Amino acid sequence: MKLVFSLLLLTAVLTITTAPINAELIRVNILTSKSRLQNTHAKTENLLQQGKALYDAGRLAEAVKVLKQANADFERSGNKANQVVTLSNLALTYQQMGQLRDAEATIARSLNLLAHLQISNLDIAAQTLDVQGKLQLAQGQTEAALETWRQSANIYKKNGNEALLIRNRVNSASAMQLLGLYYQAKTVLTEVEQRLTKQPDSLVKATGLRSLGNVLRVIGNLNQSRVILEESRKVASNIQASTELGEILLSLGNTTLAQYRNLLYIQNNEAAKKLVQQTLEYYKRAELIASPTTRIQAHLNKFRLLIDDKQISTALSLLPQIESELKNLSPSRNSIYAQINFAESLIKLQQNNTHISLLDIAKILSASVQQAQILGDKRAESYALGTLGGLYEKSNQLAEAQKLTQKALLIASSLQSGDITYQWLWQLGRLLNQQGDTRGAISYYQEAFKTLESLRRDLLFMNPEIQFSFRDMVEPVYRELVGLQLYNNKNYQPSFENLKQARYVIESLQLAELDNFFRQACLIPKVNIDQVVDKKDRSAAFIYPIVLKDRIEVILKLPGQDNLAHNQVEIAQSQVEDIIDKLRGDLQEPDYTSQVQENSGQIYNWLIRPFETQLTNNKIKTLVFVLDASLRNIPMAVLYNKQQDKYLIEKYAIALTPGLQLIDPQPLQKVQINALTAGVGEKRVINNQPFAPLKNVPQELKQVKSEIPQSKQLLNQEFTQKNLQTQLQQTSFSIVHLATHGKFSSDPEKTFILTWDGLLKVRDFEKLLRTTDGNSLTNIELLVLSACETALGDKRAALGLAGIAVKAGARSTLASLWSVEDSSTAFLMGEFYQQLNTGMSKAEALRQAQLAVLQKDKKPFHWAPYVLVGNWL
């Protein structure tokens, strides 16, 4: 279908971007200065209030003009205090428009005035510092923003201004998240909650709790977000603040929507259906009492959810109402984003309903482009143009799509808005690839990749939607770039540089996945594994399988060789996942050995067979895998060589790693070995969740004690989180062995280990394992988690295991992918520590222990679940 546009749009110049459903991370409050105006003409005072009203309405360019005029009036009258307020508001408005240089210059003028001004009301100074902090955060100066907010917080505390202090602390918590200071942020948010709880019911309390709930949603604490927002709802209901209540109900809908999307990650369809109904109910209630702007947001969010949930007829019934409401909105940034949001939903709907016209969608986007241009809102214009380019791409008008995308990119780049720049670069890469320009496509993809890498820490907070659409909005950039670098052609052999780059890109994807898992930056590069293989362990080889849509690319790194070996397997990703899912299910059935061998044999043929000769010739003893996608959910030890009737573990020691970024691998020093062992063997019920008894836990801990005499034991009632932390802070243990129930999931809230008094979640590991000075991690060489399991049906469950390994800060983590509830676990652990005591590497010690179990019982169910993550030496 051909689209026809006006000359303006044809000359105005990625994939379809997602305009944030909830555009504001932290609700931005422009400084209120009405009560502070002194000796000012009513006309100027009215200008300042008019500027605030325009800002709140999203009419930012108009707000700039009015605030500039107010500032000029204050300057002529010599009213420097109110000029400080006006300049701060102006800087905040510039920031929202993406004009960071203007914002920086304006806040500098405001601060300069403050430095030469004696003002009795220090709140003006504090709020000016708050605006400076927001600007610093927008420019990536996170630590500077924290320091600035600390200064303003001190002023608020001194003045007893509780409302502004709460807003300040919420901002600070978000900055701490960007720095990866999760627990410091959690402490601040807990403080905020306590302050709000102590206040009597008021609008300030309701709004503060809502802001806190929204921040908790962004950082991934969805359950807590919902609890806090429900508290906010009760307060607003008690004081009959209907407009605020509408905002809260919208936030509750957005949080349950996030919970729904998380459940889709793990394919829990039954629970997801309940959340759909709860989300729709929140939006329905919000529509009845909310302001027009909030009402249209609720309608649009409901519309998108109905489409995602395949309730097409119900979604279609909303069209007339949404179209009417959009027409009645005054021109503003909010109305532009609402139109883009609507257009994106219509594009998705059009895939399921041919009655939706692409031309009608184009008209909506055309209007949003023109509106953004009239308002002078460059960021909104870039979003609108980029989405329009995506629509051209859908209709296969690639040249026109390219023009629009280049225009969108030019605007985004001028604003230094990396969170949308990478999307336009990605879209241009796709467009050029479709036109046969592979070299040009790779160039744009590489720029998109570099932009994502520079944003790795900030992206989740710049666009909250990214965290819930990672597979659609971020992951494809990495995989499609690798696909282009390893060009799919039988007669084409990738160059060493391309192989090296592809390996680096896929490892970067793994780190980005962990960032997305935790909603924070997790890993800092420590050491180059190539150097470890070449210098410290010349008997180890690295294998990188990369799962693409139509094939598997496998890269092999051998010690002492600059070149990388490579093999390509032509197979659809869906078929790969089917085989892995089947194998994953069969592994947990003790009597399905033949089925396990059949499917694991296919995976052996993909990953190992092409390199058998090279591995043998180089005398390789250890294979270290950097696994991709659902391959992480199965143990490599079980890969089966049908020709030799042997499992991979019978020939090689095996370990896993997230990639080149590791804590410096070192062998375990025998003279330093001591252990803290802990376990829960009795039946427990925590939060109405039953946990069956693990009868062999006492025996398992006894086995560890027999091999490592210098051991401290915490069994059953003694194994509390407090006791565990106390022991870790009092003594430097080289080994921590936990024999208890645990689960690995793609949801950090459902990744935990069981202690006697509760569930120790993955996010609490870092805090637990900090030393008494609170700054450095304990020097744990080996963390052992037995009796744990990965969540069935969750294709990304192994992210939870990687997450625990990262949060623990241990050089190595040994864990089970499923729970083996018999004496074989105790036997295996005893064998493992016995071999470790001989000076054997961790990977080889695990191999020998697994072989000992295999000799007693051939069934993979009993010996295969154990994996070693991290340092294999």
Side-chain angles (χ1 to χ4, degrees):
M1 176 182 180
K2 282 283 182 182
L3 302 179
V4 182
F5 298 102
S6 68
L7 181 62
L8 172 66
L9 285 178
L10 285 173
T11 56
V13 195
L14 273 144
T15 229
I16 296 168
T17 179
T18 302
I21 291 176
N22 184 11
E24 291 180 346
L25 264 174
I26 303 167
R27 187 172 176 79
V28 181
N29 294 305
I30 200 163
L31 304 188
T32 304
S33 51
K34 184 174 180 179
S35 62
R36 304 186 186 93
L37 293 172
Q38 298 173 358
N39 303 318
T40 304
H41 293 298
K43 180 181 177 182
T44 307
E45 178 180 341
N46 187 54
L47 280 174
L48 192 53
Q49 295 307 311
Q50 185 183 346
K52 180 184 184 303
L54 289 167
Y55 175 95
D56 289 339
R59 296 162 63 180
L60 303 180
E62 294 174 74
V64 165
K65 292 179 182 178
V66 171
L67 289 171
K68 279 184 173 181
Q69 185 178 343
N71 177 64
D73 288 353
F74 285 132
E75 187 172 15
R76 280 193 297 269
S77 65
N79 193 330
K80 290 184 169 43
N82 290 321
Q83 192 181 355
V84 167
V85 173
T86 308
L87 286 170
S88 297
N89 287 345
L90 184 57
L92 190 57
T93 309
Y94 278 136
Q95 180 193 331
Q96 287 297 98
M97 296 175 70
Q99 298 178 20
L100 297 185
R101 290 180 181 175
D102 289 332
E104 188 175 18
T106 305
I107 198 64
R109 288 178 61 195
S110 180
L111 290 168
N112 186 55
L113 277 173
L114 268 175
H116 297 88
L117 185 65
Q118 295 293 328
I119 43 179
S120 57
N121 191 339
L122 290 176
D123 277 350
I124 294 178
Q127 291 187 83
T128 303
L129 288 170
D130 275 350
V131 174
Q132 183 190 25
K134 290 172 185 173
L135 178 57
Q136 289 168 330
L137 189 66
Q139 294 174 313
Q141 301 168 20
T142 313
E143 292 173 329
L146 272 177
E147 174 57 26
T148 300
W149 283 330
R150 185 190 65 78
Q151 295 173 28
S152 56
N154 289 337
I155 297 174
Y156 293 137
K157 288 177 182 177
K158 183 178 180 180
N159 285 6
N161 194 326
E162 196 73 4
L164 293 179
L165 176 61
I166 287 169
R167 189 184 70 189
N168 170 283
R169 302 309 287 154
V170 170
N171 289 352
S172 295
S174 291
M176 290 172 182
Q177 286 291 322
L178 293 180
L179 289 173
L181 304 174
Y182 177 81
Y183 286 98
Q184 290 88 327
K186 187 174 182 179
T187 300
V188 170
L189 292 175
T190 301
E191 171 204 326
V192 169
E193 184 181 359
Q194 291 171 347
R195 285 179 178 275
L196 287 168
T197 303
K198 291 176 183 177
Q199 290 188 4
D201 287 355
S202 65
L203 185 59
V204 168
K205 181 176 182 178
T207 304
L209 286 169
R210 175 167 59 84
S211 296
L212 177 58
N214 287 339
V215 169
L216 288 167
R217 177 176 68 250
V218 170
I219 64 178
N221 286 1
L222 301 181
N223 294 336
Q224 186 64 12
S225 169
R226 193 167 174 181
V227 169
I228 295 298
L229 288 171
E230 283 291 356
E231 290 181 23
S232 177
R233 183 189 61 78
K234 291 176 183 177
V235 173
S237 296
N238 290 342
I239 63 174
Q240 297 182 338
S242 59
T243 301
E244 177 62 24
L245 183 58
E247 296 279 354
I248 295 165
L249 289 168
L250 175 66
S251 293
L252 275 164
N254 292 343
T255 291
T256 52
L257 180 62
Q259 291 178 314
Y260 160 72
R261 287 172 174 164
N262 265 6
L263 281 177
L264 291 185
Y265 259 37
I266 60 176
Q267 300 180 324
N268 190 335
N269 295 325
E270 196 60 39
K273 288 179 182 178
K274 292 180 181 178
L275 282 171
V276 167
Q277 294 308 312
Q278 291 171 358
T279 303
L280 292 173
E281 181 61 27
Y282 281 130
Y283 289 148
K284 179 181 178 180
R285 290 162 63 189
E287 292 163 4
L288 297 176
I289 58 175
S291 66
T293 302
T294 302
R295 187 182 304 121
I296 188 62
Q297 274 192 307
H299 274 139
L300 289 170
N301 292 4
K302 182 166 72 172
F303 185 55
R304 177 72 64 89
L305 175 58
L306 289 169
I307 296 170
D308 290 343
D309 198 46
K310 308 300 182 185
Q311 298 185 45
I312 304 303
S313 60
T314 308
L316 287 170
S317 69
L318 291 178
L319 282 176
Q321 186 177 13
I322 293 175
E323 289 170 344
S324 175
E325 289 179 344
L326 285 173
K327 288 178 182 177
N328 292 329
L329 285 178
S330 300
S332 68
R333 169 176 281 193
N334 289 337
S335 68
I336 296 169
Y337 281 149
Q339 290 176 72
I340 296 171
N341 188 330
F342 185 46
E344 289 173 338
S345 294
L346 288 175
I347 291 168
K348 294 189 72 173
L349 185 59
Q350 197 269 341
Q351 297 170 2
N352 298 285
N353 190 302
T354 55
H355 296 297
I356 301 297
S357 165
L358 288 177
L359 183 57
D360 289 340
I361 301 173
K363 289 178 180 178
I364 295 171
L365 291 172
S366 170
S368 66
V369 170
Q370 293 176 358
Q371 195 174 108
Q373 290 171 340
I374 292 170
L375 291 174
D377 193 329
K378 292 297 185 181
R379 184 176 173 90
E381 183 183 355
S382 181
Y383 262 123
L385 284 167
T387 309
L388 192 55
L391 188 62
Y392 268 121
E393 184 186 15
K394 290 281 184 185
S395 65
N396 204 35
Q397 297 181 67
L398 303 184
E400 291 88 347
Q402 188 173 336
K403 292 177 185 177
L404 287 163
T405 307
Q406 286 171 334
K407 178 64 175 177
L409 175 61
L410 183 64
I411 296 171
S413 298
S414 70
L415 298 175
Q416 298 179 319
S417 298
D419 59 320
I420 54 175
T421 296
Y422 93 86
Q423 297 179 62
W424 308 157
L425 288 165
W426 174 28
Q427 182 156 303
L428 282 168
R430 287 201 321 277
L431 289 167
L432 289 180
N433 188 44
Q434 291 177 66
Q435 295 175 69
D437 184 359
T438 304
R439 180 175 296 181
I442 289 176
S443 177
Y444 276 117
Y445 266 99
Q446 286 176 331
E447 287 302 311
F449 165 71
K450 290 176 184 176
T451 305
L452 277 173
E453 285 295 280
S454 69
L455 290 174
R456 213 158 55 81
R457 188 171 70 179
D458 301 342
L459 183 62
L460 303 178
F461 296 89
M462 297 174 73
N463 186 349
E465 274 296 286
I466 293 293
Q467 60 189 337
F468 303 119
S469 56
F470 183 86
R471 288 174 294 180
D472 300 324
M473 297 294 293
V474 176
E475 184 176 339
V477 179
Y478 292 82
R479 294 198 184 280
E480 290 167 16
L481 172 55
V482 169
L484 288 171
Q485 289 171 327
L486 306 181
Y487 183 56
N488 187 16
N489 187 319
K490 290 182 179 180
N491 299 320
Y492 170 77
Q493 178 59 37
S495 67
F496 168 69
E497 189 58 34
N498 278 352
L499 288 170
K500 183 179 177 182
Q501 282 296 314
R503 184 179 68 159
Y504 175 71
V505 169
I506 209 66
E507 286 182 336
S508 297
L509 170 59
Q510 297 213 345
L511 300 189
E513 284 180 313
L514 283 173
D515 285 355
N516 184 66
F517 175 76
F518 283 113
R519 309 292 190 260
Q520 69 181 97
C522 299
L523 288 178
I524 298 174
K526 295 291 183 181
V527 66
N528 188 311
I529 291 300
D530 284 359
Q531 296 176 359
V532 177
V533 171
D534 292 340
K535 296 179 181 179
K536 291 185 179 180
D537 187 0
R538 295 181 67 86
S539 65
F542 270 69
I543 297 179
Y544 299 77
I546 303 170
V547 181
L548 302 177
K549 284 185 178 181
D550 57 351
R551 64 197 193 274
I552 299 175
E553 301 278 1
V554 189
I555 299 173
L556 171 68
K557 161 63 182 173
L558 292 166
Q561 296 187 18
D562 291 334
N563 290 329
L564 297 169
H566 165 256
N567 187 65
Q568 184 184 101
V569 181
E570 293 187 5
I571 184 171
Q573 182 178 358
S574 58
Q575 188 178 351
V576 172
E577 291 183 349
D578 287 344
I579 292 172
I580 291 172
D581 288 347
K582 182 71 166 56
L583 175 59
R584 181 73 178 84
D586 292 344
L587 279 167
Q588 295 190 72
E589 299 292 338
D591 298 325
Y592 279 35
T593 300
S594 61
Q595 293 92 327
V596 167
Q597 289 179 345
E598 179 182 351
N599 288 310
S600 68
Q602 291 189 62
I603 300 173
Y604 179 93
N605 291 339
W606 301 339
L607 308 188
I608 307 299
R609 191 169 301 284
F611 306 113
E612 285 177 334
T613 301
Q614 290 163 287
L615 294 172
T616 300
N617 292 343
N618 284 273
K619 300 179 181 179
I620 299 301
K621 297 180 180 178
T622 302
L623 298 180
V624 183
F625 288 88
V626 183
L627 294 177
D628 182 34
S630 52
L631 283 167
R632 288 174 291 198
N633 283 342
I634 58 172
M636 293 294 101
V638 82
L639 300 191
Y640 182 66
N641 185 340
K642 186 176 181 180
Q643 293 178 357
Q644 297 182 2
D645 189 23
K646 285 185 177 181
Y647 295 101
L648 193 62
I649 196 67
E650 295 182 80
K651 188 171 184 179
Y652 300 102
I654 296 169
L656 311 177
T657 176
L660 297 179
Q661 291 77 14
L662 270 184
I663 296 172
D664 190 11
Q666 298 289 344
L668 185 64
Q669 299 298 317
K670 183 178 179 181
V671 294
Q672 299 174 344
I673 292 180
N674 64 338
L676 173 63
T677 66
V680 176
E682 297 182 11
K683 179 181 178 180
R684 298 297 293 152
V685 178
I686 303 293
N687 300 332
N688 297 320
Q689 184 176 355
F691 294 93
L694 298 171
K695 298 179 181 178
N696 286 290
V697 163
Q699 176 63 24
E700 182 176 333
L701 300 189
K702 186 178 178 180
Q703 289 273 26
V704 178
K705 177 73 173 179
S706 67
E707 298 298 335
I708 305 177
Q710 295 184 38
S711 297
K712 173 69 178 179
Q713 178 177 289
L714 300 174
L715 180 61
N716 292 327
Q717 291 91 337
E718 295 177 332
F719 181 22
T720 65
Q721 294 184 33
K722 183 178 180 180
N723 286 346
L724 183 62
Q725 186 171 33
T726 298
Q727 290 297 325
L728 288 169
Q729 290 181 344
Q730 289 178 349
T731 307
S732 180
F733 292 98
S734 53
I735 296 174
V736 175
H737 184 111
L738 306 179
T740 181
H741 286 287
K743 183 164 286 186
F744 309 125
S745 167
S746 61
D747 182 353
E749 289 296 305
K750 296 177 182 177
T751 298
F752 63 85
I753 63 166
L754 174 71
T755 62
W756 184 261
D757 57 343
L759 304 181
L760 178 57
K761 296 184 179 179
V762 61
R763 284 195 170 112
D764 295 321
F765 264 72
E766 187 174 18
K767 181 180 178 182
L768 181 74
L769 298 174
R770 292 240 171 233
T771 54
T772 51
D773 64 10
N775 293 319
S776 59
L777 286 169
T778 52
N779 296 317
I780 297 174
E781 292 286 342
L782 175 64
L783 172 66
V784 179
L785 304 170
S786 70
C788 293
E789 57 186 320
T790 52
L792 279 174
D794 185 349
K795 293 182 182 296
R796 295 172 175 240
L799 276 174
L801 170 55
I804 284 182
V806 168
K807 282 298 178 188
R811 293 186 190 276
S812 311
T813 300
L814 171 58
S816 58
L817 295 179
W818 62 87
S819 180
V820 181
E821 298 179 5
D822 63 16
S823 59
S824 63
T825 298
F827 174 75
L828 181 139
M829 290 301 170
E831 288 290 319
F832 171 71
Y833 285 110
Q834 183 178 342
Q835 299 295 337
L836 204 60
N837 261 332
T838 67
M840 197 175 287
S841 74
K842 300 183 190 78
E844 182 60 27
L846 176 59
R847 173 176 178 262
Q848 293 299 329
Q850 288 180 288
L851 291 177
V853 177
L854 188 152
Q855 289 172 4
K856 294 178 61 179
D857 190 332
K858 297 286 186 182
K859 297 174 181 177
F861 172 81
H862 295 293
W863 58 262
Y866 307 96
V867 294
L868 182 70
V869 180
N871 174 22
W872 66 93
L873 297 178

